[in-house]
Amino acid sequence: MDWEGLEPITLRTDGFKFHSNGLSVENPDKEDGFLMADVDDPTFKEDGNPYTLAAQNRAQIEVLARKGYKNGELKRIQIVEFRRRIDDGAA
């Protein structure tokens, strides 16, 4: 896996798996497809955290994260910090 450095990334949320610290997001490198991002931010374990609240509405969020590529294709996203929710009128 070839990892990029940490950078702010905008992601559209699609759901979450609380027990595995996973956040389902639309693949930012493709127009279709989804990835399960690993959330290493301790706030993900808190009730009413910003990740799960955003996922309930499929909202866009800005996070500090890094992307992992294999054979030139995005395979993993590792989120370390929530920055902000982007209210764009999505349902």
Side-chain angles (χ1 to χ4, degrees):
M1 187 78 59
D2 296 318
W3 289 99
E4 292 185 341
L6 287 172
E7 64 180 345
I9 300 173
T10 299
L11 300 169
R12 177 163 310 277
T13 59
D14 188 58
F16 60 92
K17 290 186 180 179
F18 191 74
H19 66 279
S20 65
N21 287 2
L23 183 67
S24 179
V25 297
E26 291 183 5
N27 185 332
D29 286 3
K30 294 183 178 181
E31 291 197 21
D32 60 347
F34 298 87
L35 292 171
M36 189 61 69
D38 300 318
V39 182
D40 293 332
D41 183 342
T43 63
F44 189 75
K45 297 182 187 302
E46 297 173 6
D47 289 337
N49 70 72
Y51 299 99
T52 56
L53 293 174
Q56 291 171 4
N57 298 309
R58 296 195 70 227
Q60 282 190 323
I61 59 175
E62 181 181 299
V63 296
L64 183 63
R66 64 184 187 151
K67 297 176 182 178
Y69 289 85
K70 187 171 184 178
N71 298 323
E73 187 174 335
L74 180 61
K75 293 293 185 181
R76 294 186 62 196
I77 298 174
Q78 184 180 50
I79 299 170
V80 298
E81 181 181 288
F82 185 87
R83 291 282 176 96
R84 67 187 178 103
R85 179 173 170 158
I86 301 168
D87 290 319
D88 62 358

